[in-house]
């Protein structure tokens, strides 16, 4: 089974490397020639503990890097989904473009896994219609899966290996197939659910983090105005059995 990882940035590259390091056949594709040229010279652009080791193992296992999309069994799409401030919306254009390019090379029965962070409803309202306009039948010719990523820069490799994950697929058999693929490197629990639930869950997780980080930072600001020790206040407040405030930036 060949896996083509699309987009070799902070998420796609470690994902491609870990899949290859754990014995899967992987080709990594990125639109940017300089990204591919560097990878083919053995240069990884960002630092992460364990990344170089993973890179060496993946190269030993014959991972390839190219600007070309491959004919593969599974595509993992990890392209950017920037937030457009003006519209207060997530821009799915990169994901759409990547899926368009996959459709130009893939065969029937292919699985396309969207790892990029997308807003709830994107696959049903935005991606599926586009695929069907091209004459493919979703659920038969093309199987869509959403596998949102939770890793954080600075601890990526450990988190890739140990985090729990969500696989959103509307066909349980396909969901289990993708789960088995991620299980080749992931020791965490992998939940299989439907696409919409996976999309919404990712947004809920990010929102929860955002609110809690903002709360801690606002608290720090308030305490600073009247010379109160925010860390002592949080330490005491967190002794409450149902309070767990994060540590703000100093
Ligand atoms: N970075 C994080 O910490 C993090 C964590 C969780 C989720 N995510 C999500 O993962 C997704 C990817 O984020 P990232 O940080 O890896 O982005 P990134 O900008 O680091 O990398 C994206 C890569 O995709 C390539 N690309 C863009 N369009 C392409 C196309 N059509 N075909 C092939 N390659 C293409 C770019 O050249 C770039 O190298 C985003 O949706 C992001 O929200 C990121």
């Amino acid at each position: 089974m060949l896996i083509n990882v699309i987009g070799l940035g902070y998420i796609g590259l470690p994902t491609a490397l870990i899949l290859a390091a754990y014995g899967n056949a992987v080709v990594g594709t990125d639109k940017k020639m300089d990204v591919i040229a560097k990878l083919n010279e053995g240069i990884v652009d960002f630092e992460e503990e364990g990344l170089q080791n993973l890179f060496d193992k993946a190269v030993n296992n014959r991972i390839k890097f190219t600007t070309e999309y491959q004919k593969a069994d599974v595509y993992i799409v990890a392209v950017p989904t920037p937030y457009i401030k003006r519209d207060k919306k997530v821009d799915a254009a990169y994901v759409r473009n990547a899926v368009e390019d996959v459709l130009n090379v893939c065969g029937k029965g292919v699985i396309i896994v969207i790892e990029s962070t997308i807003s709830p409803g994107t696959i049903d309202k935005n991606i599926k219609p586009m695929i069907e306009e091209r004459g493919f039948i979703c659920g038969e010719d093309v199987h869509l899966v959403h596998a949102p990523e939770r890793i954080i820069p600075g601890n990526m490799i450990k988190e890739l290996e140990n985090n729990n994950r969500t696989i959103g697929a509307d066909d349980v058999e396909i969901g289990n197939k993708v789960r088995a693929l991620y299980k080749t490197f992931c020791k965490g629990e992998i939940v299989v659910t439907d696409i919409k639930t996976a999309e919404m869950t990712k947004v809920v997780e990010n929102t929860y983090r955002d609110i809690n980080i903002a709360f801690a930072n606002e608290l720090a600001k308030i305490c600073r105005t009247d010379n109160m020790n925010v860390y002592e206040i949080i330490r005491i407040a967190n002794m409450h059995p149902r309070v767990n405030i994060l540590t703000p930036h100093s």
Side-chain angles (χ1 to χ4, degrees):
M1 188 167 81
L2 181 66
I3 305 154
N4 191 190
V5 177
I6 311 297
L8 299 176
Y10 286 105
I11 297 300
L13 180 62
T15 303
L17 296 180
I18 204 163
L19 279 163
Y22 280 83
N24 298 287
V26 180
V27 176
T29 297
D30 200 286
K31 282 254 156 156
K32 286 192 188 147
M33 280 170 73
D34 60 320
V35 169
I36 297 304
K38 278 189 188 157
L39 289 171
N40 282 329
E41 282 170 36
I43 302 165
V44 183
D45 244 356
F46 54 94
E47 279 191 24
E48 274 292 332
E49 199 186 323
L51 190 63
Q52 190 60 48
N53 183 30
L54 208 58
F55 185 88
D56 296 342
K57 278 190 192 157
V59 170
N60 269 344
N61 288 351
R62 297 167 197 273
I63 191 172
K64 289 198 181 75
F65 305 110
T66 171
T67 53
E68 303 295 322
Y69 282 58
Q70 305 294 301
K71 188 167 176 101
D73 305 286
V74 178
Y75 295 85
I76 296 182
V77 176
V79 297
T81 44
Y83 175 69
I84 312 170
K85 252 192 174 163
R86 190 185 59 237
D87 300 341
K88 296 193 174 161
K89 285 205 172 124
V90 173
D91 183 2
Y94 291 88
V95 176
R96 287 171 61 90
N97 289 342
V99 171
E100 284 279 4
D101 285 346
V102 166
L103 297 179
N104 291 335
V105 294
C106 73
K108 290 201 169 176
V110 68
I111 299 176
I112 305 179
V113 181
I114 311 290
E115 271 213 16
S116 299
T117 304
I118 48 178
S119 50
T122 299
I123 290 190
D124 268 0
K125 291 183 204 145
N126 208 327
I127 308 295
K128 271 189 192 169
M130 182 195 106
I131 292 175
E132 302 210 318
E133 267 167 34
R134 292 272 305 257
F136 293 89
I137 301 170
C138 286
E140 283 183 30
D141 303 332
V142 175
H143 301 284
L144 286 167
V145 174
H146 181 41
E149 188 49 77
R150 288 173 170 155
I151 60 175
I152 190 164
N155 197 28
M156 282 186 159
I157 312 305
K158 273 194 200 130
E159 292 209 1
L160 267 177
E161 284 174 333
N162 296 301
N163 280 359
N164 302 323
R165 307 191 64 106
T166 317
I167 305 289
D170 291 346
D171 176 332
V172 176
E173 209 178 299
I174 296 294
N176 285 334
K177 215 170 166 180
V178 173
R179 181 181 185 277
L181 176 62
Y182 281 90
K183 261 289 166 202
T184 58
F185 66 83
C186 171
K187 299 185 196 82
E189 188 180 334
I190 306 183
V191 175
V192 176
T193 184
D194 59 272
I195 289 176
K196 234 183 251 169
T197 304
E199 287 175 330
M200 189 61 180
T201 305
K202 172 69 181 170
V203 173
V204 168
E205 292 165 11
N206 281 11
T207 308
Y208 178 88
R209 290 278 300 151
D210 195 25
I211 289 169
N212 281 284
I213 291 166
F215 180 76
N217 288 336
E218 286 300 315
L219 203 59
K221 267 201 241 165
I222 291 165
C223 291
R224 222 176 286 132
T225 58
D226 205 11
N227 254 345
M228 291 179 276
N229 183 342
V230 69
Y231 301 106
E232 179 64 354
I233 290 161
I234 290 174
R235 187 183 74 79
I236 296 167
N238 281 350
M239 290 168 83
H240 184 295
R242 283 168 298 281
V243 173
N244 188 14
I245 305 166
L246 299 176
T247 307
H249 284 299
S250 47

